[in-house]
């Protein structure tokens, strides 16, 4: 069932049929860029799939709204792919030029034989690793992740980044084989499932947590913004979402990859220097209709604390990601196939920041 948020964006976009048949799924495009931006794109068009609609992805929305992609010469067209697995599947099929979703997605795509490469980072913590439940269940004794034994947790899709977080946190709590992980679809569907009691909890972005708190029914069991809680589970900074492309695109269209990354870097700098209220004033009406102004402002305020200041994914960051994925999403042998040097190319970020 299509969420109200997706329906609004679908009805407002002029490219609603684009990629509509992929894996039997409808794709909800964001509003396209203006013609003035498109006409200035000397490097051509590039469809850019984003895993979902959430203030977490504000860098993409700002880059599109401010025209940073076009200033760099690229007509980048952001699309809601509705989940990380869909985004990576569409990328591998050549139906997207680039994707933004969990940084585990390009790793699993490469292991499957389709070489993908991370070209920019968004954050230093996995913003959708929160665990959300209802106040009713919390008051009845569901106080932490360990108490989820025998219960259900909702995620977007199997093998997605939200799935990985659920499995990882359950494993850390010693209940990996005692919790039912249920794929539900996009973030809006997950939120509704917890609220209705269809599942006991779900992995959640801060926006989801805040919306549930605002409505008076939600309580976090795991909060990524709590330093002690985060470090006890993850041991330090871990990239959550990033921009990735196929290696073939780097080989054949390096200028377009550079333009895309340059747009994201400029958006990142704009966000760092701009108040949450001004950021939401810029992008809220077009990209965040389903969240409400204050909810979006509160979410951006928190994300500004975990968004990367330089968009770089370091070897140390990647090593922690491998610790999360290893033995859960990939085997030790598969880990050898995806070393940092093969999976991460920060040269585009460094050029955009004049560090190279």
């Amino acid at each position: 069932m299509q969420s109200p948020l997706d329906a609004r964006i679908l009805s407002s976009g002029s490219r609603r049929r684009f990629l509509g048949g992929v894996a039997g799924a409808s794709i909800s495009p964001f509003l396209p860029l203006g013609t003035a931006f498109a006409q200035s794109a000397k490097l051509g068009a590039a469809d850019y799939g984003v895993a979902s609609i959430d203030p977490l992805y504000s860098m993409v929305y700002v880059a599109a709204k401010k025209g940073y992609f076009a200033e760099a010469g690229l007509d980048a067209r952001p699309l809601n792919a509705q989940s990380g697995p869909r985004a990576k599947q569409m990328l591998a099929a050549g139906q997207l030029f680039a994707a933004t979703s969990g940084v585990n997605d390009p790793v699993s795509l490469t292991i499957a034989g389709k070489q993908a490469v991370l070209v920019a980072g968004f954050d230093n913590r996995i913003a959708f690793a929160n665990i959300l439940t209802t106040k009713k269940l919390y008051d009845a004794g569901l106080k932490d992740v360990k108490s989820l034994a025998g219960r259900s947790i909702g995620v977007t899709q199997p093998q997605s980044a939200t799935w990985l977080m659920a499995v990882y946190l359950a494993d850390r709590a010693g209940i990996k084989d005692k919790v039912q992980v249920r794929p539900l679809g996009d973030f809006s569907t997950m939120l509704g499932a917890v609220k209705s009691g269809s599942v006991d909890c779900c992995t959640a972005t801060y926006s989801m947590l805040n919306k549930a708190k605002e409505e008076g029914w939600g309580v976090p069991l795991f909060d990524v913004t709590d330093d002690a809680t985060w470090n006890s589970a993850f041991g330090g900074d871990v990239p959550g979402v990033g921009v990735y492309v196929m290696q073939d695109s780097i080989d054949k269209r390096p200028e377009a990859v550079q333009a895309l990354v340059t747009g994201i870097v400029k958006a990142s700098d704009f966000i760092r220097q701009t108040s949450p209220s001004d950021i939401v004033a810029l992008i809220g009406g077009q990209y965040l209709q389903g969240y409400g102004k204050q909810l979006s402002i509160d979410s951006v305020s928190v994300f500004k604390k975990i968004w990367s200041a330089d968009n770089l994914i370091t070897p140390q960051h990647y090593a922690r990601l491998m610790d999360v994925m290893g033995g859960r999403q990939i085997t030790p042998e598969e880990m050898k196939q995806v070393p940092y040097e093969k999976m991460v190319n920060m040269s585009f970020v460094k050029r955009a920041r004049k560090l190279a």
Side-chain angles (χ1 to χ4, degrees):
M1 186 171 105
Q2 188 182 56
S3 71
L5 177 58
D6 287 340
R8 276 195 291 275
I9 291 181
L10 183 61
S11 65
S12 64
S14 64
R15 301 175 66 241
R16 68 196 321 171
R17 292 181 300 276
F18 179 76
L19 297 178
V22 175
S26 62
I27 302 300
S28 305
F30 299 136
L31 291 172
L33 299 180
T35 54
F37 285 163
Q39 289 171 355
S40 68
K42 63 183 179 181
L43 296 174
D47 290 305
Y48 179 12
V50 183
S52 189
I53 301 163
D54 193 276
L56 173 62
Y57 305 111
S58 291
M59 288 180 204
V60 180
Y61 313 148
V62 167
K65 189 73 173 179
K66 295 286 287 184
Y68 292 148
F69 295 133
E71 285 178 8
L74 186 68
D75 176 19
R77 301 178 293 200
L79 300 167
N80 175 20
Q82 299 182 326
S83 75
R86 286 179 179 172
K88 72 179 180 182
Q89 289 161 10
M90 293 161 65
L91 183 74
Q95 294 165 316
L96 293 174
F97 175 73
T100 282
S101 63
V103 292
N104 62 308
D105 286 326
V107 174
S108 58
L109 190 59
T110 298
I111 289 172
K114 299 284 188 178
Q115 175 65 55
V117 181
L118 284 156
V119 292
F122 269 44
D123 50 26
N124 293 322
R125 287 191 186 180
I126 304 167
F128 40 82
N130 301 288
I131 302 293
L132 169 68
T133 191
T134 62
K135 189 175 185 298
K136 178 181 178 180
L137 288 177
Y138 185 84
D139 291 342
L142 190 61
K143 302 293 187 181
D144 52 29
V145 177
K146 191 171 184 177
S147 59
L148 282 171
R151 294 185 177 273
S152 58
I153 179 169
V155 300
T156 53
Q157 290 191 15
Q159 299 298 314
S160 66
T162 58
W163 172 90
L164 178 59
M165 290 304 98
V167 172
Y168 176 77
L169 290 173
D171 194 5
R172 293 282 297 182
I175 60 167
K176 180 180 178 181
D177 298 323
K178 300 176 183 178
V179 64
Q180 179 188 12
V181 179
R182 291 182 53 192
L184 298 173
D186 62 16
F187 289 159
S188 296
T189 304
M190 291 162 63
L191 197 63
V194 178
K195 183 178 181 180
S196 69
S198 298
V199 292
D200 296 311
C201 66
C202 72
T203 50
T205 67
Y206 181 76
S207 309
M208 295 165 66
L209 281 184
N210 209 8
K211 187 173 181 66
K213 290 178 183 178
E214 186 180 74
E215 293 178 356
W217 61 265
V219 180
L221 297 182
F222 184 90
D223 186 344
V224 303
T225 65
D226 183 284
D227 290 343
T229 298
W230 174 266
N231 288 326
S232 67
F234 291 93
D237 290 347
V238 183
V241 297
V243 185
Y244 56 98
V245 299
M246 302 305 294
Q247 178 63 50
D248 187 62
S249 295
I250 293 176
D251 296 337
K252 295 180 179 178
R253 296 183 67 189
E255 297 87 356
V257 176
Q258 183 64 65
L260 184 79
V261 173
T262 297
I264 291 295
V265 165
K266 286 185 176 181
S268 178
D269 291 345
F270 173 88
I271 286 171
R272 192 170 64 253
Q273 299 162 7
T274 306
S275 69
S277 59
D278 287 344
I279 293 168
V280 172
L282 174 68
I283 64 176
Q286 185 168 346
Y287 297 108
L288 301 174
Q289 302 101 318
Y291 285 94
K293 181 179 178 181
Q294 191 56 51
L295 174 62
S296 296
I297 291 172
D298 292 344
S299 298
V300 170
S301 296
V302 170
F303 288 144
K304 278 172 71 75
K305 299 175 184 178
I306 65 171
W307 276 327
S308 172
D310 56 17
N311 304 106
L312 293 171
I313 298 174
T314 69
Q316 292 78 17
H317 294 160
Y318 187 77
R320 291 194 189 100
L321 174 66
M322 290 295 99
D323 287 342
V324 173
M325 296 183 70
R328 299 176 183 90
Q329 197 168 35
I330 58 177
T331 67
E333 283 303 311
E334 289 172 332
M335 288 177 67
K336 296 176 183 178
Q337 301 174 32
V338 285
Y340 176 87
E341 295 74 19
K342 179 179 181 179
M343 288 303 309
V344 183
N345 184 338
M346 291 291 102
S347 66
F348 298 101
V349 171
K350 290 179 179 178
R351 277 193 287 272
R353 294 199 172 281
K354 297 180 171 55
L355 300 175

